[in-house]
Amino acid sequence: MKISAYDSSSISTLLSGLGGSKDGNSGLLGINYSDYASIRSGAYGKLLRSYYALDSESGSSKTSSSTETGRKSTAVSKDSTKTIATIEEDAGELADSAKQLYTRSNNAVFTKDAKGNYDTDKIYDKVSDYVEDYNAFLVSAAKSDTGRIASGVDSVKNITKANVDALKEIGISVNEKNGALTISKDTFKAADMSKVKDVFYGTSSYAYSVATQASLVKSYAESEAVKSNTYGSTARYNYNYNSGDIFADAF
């Protein structure tokens, strides 16, 4: 493959000189200052600028997955680092709090005591945690411009909408405008706990369905976070996670 005035042989020659420091002349992250100068303003930088100029002249886009010549490129996320990180965290917490309710493990929330009674306080606390995590997830995910994340949030809202009557019966209301949940402590604790169990317990429950979609959104956020793991046209290293900012600042 040939990039403007550079071919594969010249590229190998350029990069072969970027070795480790022999004289201790190294700085941030162990980068040799001579290597840094070469990358920043030397031949490597010129190579990158030539590469992107050629790509620009041919009318191809660096956000596409490939070009007509088969050269691959990494797309850049539509969302900021902070937005993606928050969505990933909130989606994971929602999935976890839902799992606390639907799980069939020995520590299941809906286990009865020796007298055959449910621990109403314990159930209320876990459902309250779920409601809090659900609302936090909606707030953070609403800031995303990524299509599949938005689609995943819509799926969560639709699942809740399909269960609105069952939720209302146990003291949980759904805001018609933004989809947020509100739980009434008195109404919930006075409700039939077997009906609460029907809503939240087991793999066919409302909680399980929400957890599944929240896990998907978390996965989507993770994918968005690594989309820009590449060098840009200005020889800067782009990466959505904060660790990547260290490399970008160095160059």
Side-chain angles (χ1 to χ4, degrees), residues 10-11 19 29 42 45 87 89 95 99 102 106 120 128 149 186 190 198 204 211 213 215 222 225 233 247 249:
S10 62
I11 292 173
L29 303 177
I87 292 172
E89 179 179 3
K99 184 177 181 180
Y102 75 71
N106 293 330
T120 302
S128 293
I149 289 179
D186 293 339
D198 289 341
S204 61
Q213 289 300 322
S215 295
E222 290 171 347
S233 59
F247 290 95
D249 290 340

Side-chain angles (χ1 to χ4, degrees), residues 10 33 36 44 92 107 110 123 158 165 176 184 218 238 243 250:
S10 62
Y33 288 131
Y36 171 82
Y44 183 65
N107 296 321
F110 294 98
I123 295 173
N158 288 336
D165 291 335
E176 294 183 359
S184 169
K218 182 176 184 291
N238 300 316
S243 58

Side-chain angles (χ1 to χ4, degrees), residues 166-173 182-188 191:
L167 290 169
K168 183 177 180 179
E169 191 172 356
I170 61 175
I172 300 175
S173 58
T182 302
I183 184 170
S184 169
K185 184 175 182 178
D186 293 339
T187 303
F188 184 89

Side-chain angles (χ1 to χ4, degrees), residues 79 82-91 94 133-154 156-157 178 213-214 217-218 220-221:
D79 298 320
K82 183 177 180 180
T83 296
I84 287 297
T86 304
I87 292 172
E88 183 180 337
E89 179 179 3
D90 289 348
L94 174 58
D133 290 339
Y134 183 97
N135 291 339
F137 167 75
L138 292 188
V139 171
S140 61
K143 299 177 183 178
S144 175
D145 291 321
T146 300
R148 58 181 179 172
I149 289 179
S151 179
V153 175
D154 287 341
V156 169
K157 288 182 177 181
N178 58 22
Q213 289 300 322
V217 172
K218 182 176 184 291
Y220 298 154

Side-chain angles (χ1 to χ4, degrees), residues 155-220:
S155 294
V156 169
K157 288 182 177 181
N158 288 336
I159 292 169
T160 299
K161 186 176 180 179
N163 289 272
V164 65
D165 291 335
L167 290 169
K168 183 177 180 179
E169 191 172 356
I170 61 175
I172 300 175
S173 58
V174 182
N175 187 299
E176 294 183 359
K177 293 184 178 180
N178 58 22
L181 302 179
T182 302
I183 184 170
S184 169
K185 184 175 182 178
D186 293 339
T187 303
F188 184 89
K189 287 193 171 184
D192 184 345
M193 287 298 113
S194 64
K195 291 185 178 181
V196 176
K197 181 179 179 180
D198 289 341
V199 173
F200 290 102
Y201 184 68
T203 55
S204 61
S205 68
Y206 159 70
Y208 181 83
S209 296
V210 169
T212 300
Q213 289 300 322
S215 295
L216 284 174
V217 172
K218 182 176 184 291
S219 177
Y220 298 154

Side-chain angles (χ1 to χ4, degrees), residues 3 43 58 61 99-101 151 156 168 184 195 236 239 244:
I3 303 172
S58 65
S61 172
K99 184 177 181 180
Q100 291 292 319
L101 293 165
S151 179
V156 169
K168 183 177 180 179
S184 169
K195 291 185 178 181
R236 289 177 62 84
Y239 192 51

